[in-house]
Amino acid sequence: MDRTAALTPARPAPRLQVRRLIVGFSVLFVLAALVTLGALLNIASTLDSQEQDRSTFHATQALQQRVLASRQFLSSYAVWDAAFQHLAGEVDWHWAYEEKNVGESLYSASGYEGVFVVDDQRTAYALFKGKPTESPASAYLDTPLAPIIAQARQVAPAREQITQFVLLNGWPAVLSAAAIRPDKDVLESEVAAAPVMLFVDQLTEAKLAQLGQGAGLAEMRVEKVAGNTPAPSSIALGTTGYRLAWNSPQPGQQLRWAVLPPLFAALLVLGLVMLYLFRNALRSSLAIDQSLQRLEHSNQALEASEQRFRAVAEAASDWIWETDRNQRLTYLSQRFARVTGYRVEDWLGQPLNQLLACDTTPLSPWLDAQTDADPQQLANLRCAYRDHSGENRYCRISARAIVYNGKLGGFRGTASDITDEVDAHARIQHLSMHDALTGLANRNKLSRHLEHALLRGSESPPLTLLLLDLDNFKPINDSLGHAAGDAVLQEVAARLRDATRDGDLVARLGGDEFVLVLNGMDNRVEIDRLCARLIELLQRTIDFDQQPLQVGVSIGVAQTRTQGFDAGELIRCADIALYQAKADGKNTWRYFALEMSQQIQYRRQLENDLRQALKQNQFVLHYQPRYRLDDLQIVSVEALVRWQHPQEGLLGPDVFIALAEQSDLIATLGRWVLREACQAARDWPQALLVSVNLSPAQFARSDVVADVRDILLETGFPAQRLELEITENVMLNDIEGALGTMLALKELGVRLNMDDFGTGYSSLGYLRTYPFDSIKIDKRFIAGLNSQSGNDRAVVQAIINLGKAMGLTVTAEGVENEQQLQALGKERCHEVQGFYLSRPVDKASFEALLRQPHDQRHGAS
Ligand code: C2E
Ligand code: CA
Ligand code: CA
């Protein structure tokens, strides 16, 4: 799945989208508000104008009604014979005023402020507010009368009147004019000079109120026209400059007042709410933006780390696995397919323990235990599996619990294929436990076997140990060669195997020495029978190259019942008995007896001598150089102790080291060797390393670290030029203590070399755990390089490769001939040591060797 691909299409950020939405919403909101407002105002103004139209209509009606009434009323006075009689020509005041025909009641009852009779020249009759007045009509009215008079006369034949708005004393009034005429039909000419009666009805407040009431209009009034702005609720009163006005109801206005404030308030609230929501939306979109950005960043980081992981997973020689909580595989790196030959898909969903199995620790509970394990520490487990082609393979798996939010999500780890390592280990193990020539158990295996069998001390089941030594073997070997010797040894081994029971152990100690461990056997009769049978069997001729060969055998017998449950003691006793058997004429067997223990006496003596030797300085060091294989230059020298015995002569360490180890002399001796070596080496070339052998007993019985430090200080020898050679036995005795000591030694700056590599129990494990700088392949394997079997060569090759893989310097010791040197060169071993290059020599000889030119330095043997 490609995470980035899902993110790449350009998509505006949520904040931008929200912003656009907000702008859209705002515009919509304002538009909606404006439309609503517009509609409302429109309705209001429509309502207002409708109402205005209505009121104007009513006002006009009312005014017209009044004007009409006034005209009709005037008509009843003007078209009247009596009036014509009394008012045309000379006005009959008496008739008119006193007799009240056209009198005061016109004002008091009918409300005409002005009543005039005029003709072309003058005002013939005039009443103002019901009172006769001398002033002419024109004094009251602002309008030229002549046109009015003319019009009135013109319409008189049709009994019509004219009306006009005028100002009476400066205030609007309705002027009605009619020519006074008889009631009969008249011609226009007959009224051409007729007097005209004017009734002036001033629009007083009282009358207007009445008018308004009638029309249903409030506050009917007259007001001056200011400017030329048309007033809404008004009717112009002719050319008087006044108009009739009233208060028309304004439902629109009311509607506006009633609706607009709450509407504005609602809009305001809505606006505020929107603003709030927008702000929140913006804020949360900003937060989304940021978290999206973070998500993208973490996605990129994740992708990068995934790529890294893939790169690592593909490049690593290990494969990587992952399971769910139920330990079913959910992931396998591509390397899995290459290493196992399986297809990854075939295994996904399968339980891990179906693929891998561990014989010592069941995988499933082990994995479960990782849940509570310290996450800092990767647990390892060696597992076996069958690859696609059915081959048995091994891998080392590491595992760690996957925990999400405190919950177990599954497990993950790596699996390194260690088949080659395991095979090499097994080969080394086998070789370290078996004799390459005969396939019998070797001394190591024998020690282990005895150790195991005697584990419970005197509680252990009884056993009998037979030590066999061939008679007449050496002559065969010497005269007929190694091949004949080997054939004899192999045949002897086969016959011994045939003669023993399954539970018994047959071992070859080296040379022509064999050991039989008869478990559970304690019966002398049976032992005698077996020994006789063995002698008889081994005396039978052996065919080699059509040559009949014959050997004999002497047997020494030791039993736990009499010699105790100590392995070393058993062998020692069997050895003594064997010597006795040989001394007694060979082809026979002897049980150990105390009288035979002259050997013991000898050892005691030697032990005493050893104590003296230290005091009397009888020890010397011999030096054996170690060469770099590339150019055969001396890079290092091993100090090997010798004992200049006053009677016995120069004794090798094999004779006395074990003795020193059994007592506490080893610590003193060890210190002496160390001091002597450091002192001697101070003057040698700077680059030269000096190796000193440390005995396991030194580890156990003295403070090696303090000793080494003291001697380095004392002698001033640089620590980095000192190498300590340690065998695996050191680690066997006290695993934890040995590691601590070795780490402390490393801290002093000295180098550590694992001596006799390949002979121990599990050398590989030690290499991994302990801080070694170099290893020495045991000489037994180097000796095997000559043989045709190729087995030893494979082991040497495996050891060299392993050592190199672990960054260790690999030395081969016991190189005795050119053939071995060549073979080691082919395997690209780093360094070599052996008689072929130089035997161990005394100090003076070694220093002489150092002074020689390079090319003459070896072959000193
Ligand atoms: P090692 O540490 O394995 O020493 C190598 C032994 O192999 C030496 O025997 C050496 O002389 C012998 N050797 C060297 N080159 C060849 C060769 O080409 N062929 C054969 N067959 N042997 C070769 P050495 O000196 O008798 O020492 C025997 C063992 O005694 C040593 O085995 C070592 O474990 C122990 N040893 C020697 N010196 C000391 C010492 O100062 N302190 C302690 N604790 N042990 C010592
Ligand atoms: Ca050594
Ligand atoms: Ca060695």
Side-chain angles (χ1 to χ4, degrees):
M1 158 194 65
D2 192 343
R3 277 165 229 254
T4 40
L7 286 175
T8 26
R11 187 207 304 151
R15 197 150 84 104
L16 200 65
Q17 282 182 311
V18 169
R19 240 191 225 156
R20 284 183 190 163
L21 267 178
I22 287 176
V23 170
F25 268 123
S26 306
V27 167
L28 268 182
F29 177 73
V30 169
L31 276 180
L34 285 179
V35 165
T36 310
L37 211 64
L40 185 76
L41 291 181
N42 189 31
I43 290 170
S45 76
T46 306
L47 277 180
D48 276 356
S49 80
Q50 276 176 353
E51 185 58 37
Q52 203 177 331
D53 288 352
R54 193 187 61 80
S55 69
T56 307
F57 173 77
H58 285 298
T60 311
Q61 284 298 107
L63 197 61
Q64 278 176 355
Q65 215 62 46
R66 187 164 187 100
V67 169
L68 197 67
S70 187
R71 278 165 67 167
Q72 278 168 356
F73 188 70
L74 171 64
S75 180
S76 67
Y77 279 87
V79 186
W80 183 18
D81 293 341
F84 186 69
Q85 207 179 337
H86 294 284
L87 297 177
E90 201 60 32
V91 172
D92 184 355
W93 276 88
H94 182 77
W95 178 84
Y97 191 73
E98 265 100 65
E99 285 182 8
K100 300 182 180 173
N101 284 316
V102 187
E104 184 263 336
S105 68
L106 281 174
Y107 172 64
S108 58
S110 306
Y112 291 102
E113 280 81 1
V115 176
F116 304 98
V117 176
V118 294
D119 58 23
D120 296 326
Q121 283 81 38
R122 63 186 177 109
T123 303
Y125 183 79
L127 297 178
F128 183 71
K129 295 197 174 173
K131 300 277 172 338
T133 171
E134 292 291 316
S135 308
S138 57
Y140 296 97
L141 300 168
D142 67 331
T143 323
L145 290 176
I148 297 171
I149 294 170
Q151 278 179 32
R153 282 172 183 159
Q154 208 178 344
V155 300
R159 295 174 194 258
E160 283 292 321
Q161 315 80 32
I162 63 159
T163 32
Q164 189 176 341
F165 293 106
V166 296
L167 294 177
L168 176 73
N169 277 350
W171 191 254
V174 180
L175 172 95
S176 309
I180 301 171
R181 49 161 275 191
D183 202 6
K184 62 170 180 90
D185 288 344
V186 289
L187 296 170
E188 202 173 322
S189 56
E190 287 175 280
V191 288
V196 173
M197 186 176 275
L198 307 174
F199 280 9
V200 185
D201 178 17
Q202 198 159 36
L203 296 173
T204 59
E205 267 179 38
K207 287 186 218 163
L208 286 173
Q210 204 183 1
L211 190 70
Q213 219 169 16
L217 301 171
E219 275 190 60
M220 184 76 94
R221 65 194 175 274
V222 163
E223 53 188 29
K224 217 164 163 77
V225 178
N228 41 14
T229 47
S233 307
S234 64
I235 306 166
L237 295 176
T239 55
T240 56
Y242 286 84
R243 62 189 174 204
L244 185 66
W246 62 93
N247 284 358
S248 94
Q250 287 181 299
Q253 189 78 356
Q254 281 172 352
L255 185 71
R256 275 191 287 271
W257 277 112
V259 174
L260 279 184
L263 183 69
F264 276 124
L267 285 178
L268 191 71
V269 169
L270 205 64
L272 286 176
V273 168
M274 270 170 64
L275 202 68
Y276 174 77
L277 289 179
F278 288 170
R279 252 174 62 126
N280 271 2
L282 264 179
R283 243 185 239 163
S284 43
S285 68
L286 183 70
I288 292 174
D289 260 12
Q290 287 170 341
S291 58
L292 259 180
Q293 238 169 21
R294 276 197 296 271
L295 189 68
E296 194 160 345
H297 279 151
S298 57
N299 259 328
Q300 281 169 356
L302 190 65
E303 173 70 11
S305 105
E306 227 171 57
Q307 281 178 0
R308 259 197 306 273
F309 165 75
R310 228 173 288 134
V312 170
E314 296 321 315
S317 61
D318 303 354
W319 44 275
I320 294 167
W321 56 270
E322 234 174 73
T323 72
D324 60 12
R325 195 175 326 148
N326 303 317
Q327 305 185 3
R328 286 178 183 280
L329 287 163
T330 55
Y331 171 80
L332 284 165
S333 66
Q334 287 305 318
R335 288 276 322 166
F336 169 79
R338 237 168 298 159
V339 174
T340 64
Y342 291 117
R343 297 190 320 157
V344 167
E345 308 84 81
D346 293 344
W347 279 100
L348 293 183
Q350 302 294 323
L352 182 65
N353 64 5
Q354 197 161 309
L355 176 67
L356 305 174
C358 175
D359 40 9
T360 50
T361 313
L363 182 58
S364 198
W366 178 80
L367 266 187
D368 284 333
Q370 301 314 311
T371 318
D372 312 315
D374 177 4
Q376 298 301 315
Q377 286 187 329
L378 257 186
N380 285 317
L381 191 69
R382 201 182 94 172
C383 292
Y385 67 95
R386 234 172 242 287
D387 71 6
H388 189 59
S389 55
E391 206 123 325
N392 240 340
R393 297 192 72 85
Y394 295 94
C395 61
R396 181 179 306 113
I397 68 164
S398 70
R400 191 173 274 175
I402 307 172
V403 178
Y404 293 126
N405 301 327
K407 277 211 205 105
L408 175 69
F411 302 92
R412 92 160 52 94
T414 58
S416 340
D417 191 89
I418 51 165
T419 310
D420 293 343
E421 191 181 314
V422 169
D423 284 351
H425 187 207
R427 273 208 300 270
I428 293 169
Q429 191 87 316
H430 181 85
L431 229 105
S432 74
M433 292 295 162
H434 292 87
D435 171 47
L437 178 66
T438 60
L440 293 179
N442 64 8
R443 196 185 285 272
N444 281 325
K445 177 105 186 240
L446 174 68
S447 317
R448 261 180 101 173
H449 181 87
L450 288 176
E451 201 175 286
H452 191 74
L454 305 173
L455 201 63
R456 286 184 288 143
S458 52
E459 305 281 286
S460 315
L463 65 78
T464 297
L465 188 141
L466 307 187
L467 187 60
L468 293 75
D469 191 282
L470 299 186
D471 305 322
N472 196 35
F473 175 73
K474 242 189 154 58
I476 293 176
N477 210 31
D478 291 349
S479 57
L480 299 173
H482 282 290
D486 285 358
V488 170
L489 291 174
Q490 280 167 337
E491 181 57 28
V492 167
R495 291 180 189 179
L496 289 178
R497 248 194 306 251
D498 286 345
T500 47
R501 302 166 302 174
D502 273 354
D504 298 336
L505 181 83
V506 183
R508 178 177 170 226
L509 291 191
D512 54 358
E513 272 195 342
F514 295 86
V515 168
L516 298 191
V517 179
L518 311 172
N519 294 306
M521 189 182 287
D522 197 28
N523 184 318
R524 271 220 178 204
V525 181
E526 277 180 43
I527 296 168
D528 286 344
R529 200 182 299 146
L530 177 66
C531 287
R533 191 167 130 67
L534 287 175
I535 290 169
E536 188 267 314
L537 266 176
L538 295 189
Q539 277 181 322
R540 292 186 191 170
T541 51
I542 298 166
D543 281 331
F544 173 72
D545 251 354
Q546 271 110 44
Q547 279 188 69
L549 304 176
Q550 195 162 25
V551 292
V553 66
S554 301
I555 306 173
V557 184
Q559 289 176 286
T560 49
R561 183 163 51 81
T562 44
Q563 276 81 59
F565 291 81
D566 181 86
E569 189 65 12
L570 275 175
I571 293 174
R572 199 177 60 79
C573 292
D575 195 35
I576 294 169
L578 175 63
Y579 274 97
Q580 194 65 53
K582 278 190 184 289
D584 290 353
K586 306 190 175 172
N587 280 323
T588 185
W589 69 95
R590 287 291 176 269
Y591 290 85
F592 173 80
L594 265 181
E595 308 84 76
M596 299 173 185
S597 62
Q598 277 170 347
Q599 285 282 339
I600 300 171
Q601 290 298 317
Y602 173 72
R603 289 167 72 101
R604 284 229 174 92
Q605 182 63 45
L606 211 59
E607 205 180 303
N608 282 338
D609 293 353
L610 202 57
R611 275 178 219 286
Q612 295 305 312
L614 270 168
K615 287 179 195 139
Q616 292 164 12
N617 243 343
Q618 292 172 357
F619 291 103
V620 284
L621 287 188
H622 280 193
Y623 297 94
Q624 185 180 28
R626 205 158 92 192
Y627 297 80
R628 186 159 51 211
L629 220 163
D630 284 344
D631 51 5
L632 292 183
Q633 288 220 32
I634 298 177
V635 288
S636 161
V637 58
E638 180 173 8
L640 296 160
V641 71
R642 306 284 183 262
W643 180 9
Q644 191 64 59
H645 195 276
Q647 288 84 40
E648 309 267 336
L650 193 67
L651 297 178
D654 290 341
V655 180
F656 59 88
I657 288 287
L659 216 56
E661 283 176 342
Q662 279 161 28
S663 58
D664 51 359
L665 289 172
I666 188 68
T668 329
L669 177 61
R671 275 193 290 271
W672 180 86
V673 172
L674 202 55
R675 186 178 299 113
E676 176 68 17
C678 289
Q679 268 166 0
R682 260 186 317 200
D683 308 326
W684 297 342
Q686 292 297 300
L688 207 58
L689 280 184
V690 171
S691 297
V692 173
N693 293 283
L694 286 190
S695 148
Q698 263 172 282
F699 263 70
R701 265 177 265 154
S702 66
D703 189 346
V704 187
V705 183
D707 290 349
V708 172
R709 184 179 38 230
D710 292 349
I711 289 165
L712 284 174
L713 287 176
E714 186 187 318
T715 59
F717 188 66
Q720 66 276 9
R721 285 182 57 200
L722 179 62
E723 185 178 66
L724 301 175
E725 299 199 0
I726 301 167
T727 61
E728 283 172 50
N729 297 333
V730 164
M731 282 133 320
L732 273 187
N733 295 343
D734 173 12
I735 293 173
E736 227 115 274
L739 181 60
T741 307
M742 285 160 75
L743 290 172
L745 286 173
K746 282 300 312 169
E747 276 172 17
L748 292 181
V750 302
R751 293 168 59 87
L752 295 182
N753 180 300
M754 184 183 245
D755 207 353
D756 301 344
F757 185 81
T759 57
Y761 289 99
S762 47
S763 322
L764 283 178
Y766 292 140
L767 277 192
R768 212 184 297 289
T769 319
Y770 293 85
F772 285 108
D773 301 285
S774 50
I775 51 178
K776 239 187 214 186
I777 308 175
D778 190 61
K779 35 182 182 290
R780 187 184 333 168
F781 298 113
I782 308 307
L785 286 182
N786 288 333
S787 81
Q788 297 306 306
S789 75
N791 193 8
D792 280 5
R793 173 166 294 210
V795 173
V796 167
Q797 186 179 1
I799 294 176
I800 292 173
N801 288 337
L802 271 169
K804 281 183 175 170
M806 289 175 173
L808 304 172
T809 307
V810 183
T811 304
E813 68 176 1
V815 178
E816 295 183 341
N817 53 47
E818 178 66 24
Q819 198 185 347
Q820 291 164 347
L821 192 66
Q822 293 293 332
L824 289 165
K826 226 174 276 167
E827 303 304 345
R828 308 220 41 76
C829 188
H830 296 123
E831 296 174 8
V832 284
Q833 186 181 17
F835 292 169
Y836 181 63
L837 296 153
S838 168
R839 286 189 172 268
V841 293
D842 61 23
K843 189 175 161 206
S845 311
F846 178 67
E847 285 173 351
L849 188 65
L850 280 181
R851 284 193 295 271
Q852 276 179 20
H854 288 306
D855 46 353
Q856 291 169 28
R857 273 185 185 176
H858 51 87
S861 53

